[in-house]
Amino acid sequence: MLEHSLNLAGFNEDTATNIHENRRRFLKLLDGDWFLTSCWQVHSSAVRIVRNTEDARNDTENCDALTTQMAGILLGVKTADCVPLLVGDTRTGAVAGIHAGWRGTVAGIVMYTLASMKEEFGSRPEDLLVAIGPAANGCCYEVGSEVIDAFRASFPRMEHLLTQTREGHALIDLQKANQEVLATAGVPAERIHIAPFCTMDRGDLFFSYRREKAVHGRVGRLLAVIGRRTGIPACPA
């Protein structure tokens, strides 16, 4: 099913040969010499800092965010309904890629990433640019009481992000939730950009775990990436 779909991640659902070839084709489209790194995402609040080439080659560590100041490194975020966030620091040149499903959002993965960027690179919220990518959105993403309870416990002032559909169920807007987390952290609203797409709704453009699993039993993964070009110096932290 996936050999013609440019699946860029998800080794459980596709062959390693297909995925590595798809990634090679993807990197070939980009100007410059890039090295792609990612991690084994587990819906946690763990952040991995890529400080050197050895760190970049380690793409099997459990975490849900990557950050670096190294040039020529592409940080990859794999999603199939969860929210990908790409963060760039216009002052220091640091970048981060974040995987935020409902568990990661509740666990504070965005705040932990910003804290890691501040500690490691001296990043400040006002200098950040953030892109929030396509994800299962508030129009289609229905969750049950477990998610609703966890969400309310972590974000008591975000009731407006839940739309009740039936007893014990609601639609949840994770893109908006993460946008508001960023705003609370001090990132200016005009520097946060949201892709206006729902992966569940736009089957013509995106994989969706929830949609495709019900039909095919196997799904692919999208890959969002961010990096700093070689030759562009980082400002002192």
Side-chain angles (χ1 to χ4, degrees):
M1 180 189 85
L2 302 173
E3 62 269 19
H4 304 299
S5 59
L6 200 64
N7 180 24
L8 293 170
F11 287 94
N12 290 339
E13 292 85 14
D14 207 343
T15 67
T17 300
N18 281 349
I19 292 173
H20 286 306
E21 173 59 19
N22 289 340
R23 289 183 178 183
R24 185 193 68 79
R25 295 179 185 180
F26 168 69
L27 291 174
K28 190 176 179 180
L29 298 174
L30 305 179
D31 293 332
D33 186 18
W34 295 96
F35 184 89
L36 175 63
T37 189
S38 58
C39 59
W40 195 258
Q41 297 167 183
V42 291
H43 300 278
S44 69
S45 61
V47 182
R48 180 161 68 88
I49 300 169
V50 179
R51 298 186 178 92
N52 50 51
T53 304
E54 183 178 349
D55 287 340
R57 295 186 181 279
N58 175 19
D59 61 359
T60 60
E61 183 176 332
N62 290 354
C63 67
D64 284 274
L66 298 162
T67 184
T68 190
Q69 203 177 43
M70 289 182 64
I73 300 295
L74 279 181
L75 307 179
V77 180
K78 298 167 285 187
T79 59
D81 279 328
C82 293
V83 180
L85 295 97
L86 303 178
V87 184
D89 185 334
T90 58
R91 185 176 63 89
T92 70
V95 294
I98 306 170
H99 166 255
W102 74 263
R103 289 183 178 86
T105 300
V106 167
I109 184 62
V110 168
M111 296 299 287
Y112 279 107
T113 304
L114 298 190
S116 293
M117 293 180 72
K118 178 180 179 180
E119 180 177 354
E120 187 73 12
F121 311 118
S123 295
R124 305 177 306 200
E126 61 267 29
D127 297 318
L128 302 181
L129 283 172
V130 185
I132 301 177
N137 214 338
C139 60
C140 302
Y141 185 29
E142 187 182 53
V143 296
S145 57
E146 176 193 6
V147 179
I148 294 170
D149 292 345
F151 198 81
R152 284 173 171 161
S154 295
F155 305 108
R157 296 183 180 179
M158 290 191 182
E159 188 72 25
H160 60 288
L161 301 177
L162 296 168
T163 303
Q164 186 172 357
T165 55
R166 51 198 168 104
E167 183 65 30
H169 292 77
L171 295 170
I172 188 170
D173 192 336
L174 285 184
Q175 283 186 323
K176 184 69 173 177
N178 282 284
Q179 179 190 32
E180 296 196 8
V181 170
L182 290 164
T184 299
V187 181
E190 66 273 14
R191 297 174 75 88
I192 305 171
H193 305 279
I194 301 180
F197 299 109
C198 172
T199 51
M200 293 179 67
D201 181 53
R202 293 301 303 272
D204 57 323
L205 296 176
F206 307 109
F207 282 119
S208 168
Y209 178 85
R210 285 196 162 202
R211 184 188 64 245
E212 300 291 346
K213 190 75 171 180
V215 178
H216 301 293
R218 302 174 71 204
V219 297
R221 293 290 186 273
L222 306 172
L223 186 68
V225 299
I226 187 169
R228 182 166 63 86
R229 289 183 183 277
T230 302
I232 299 178
C235 297

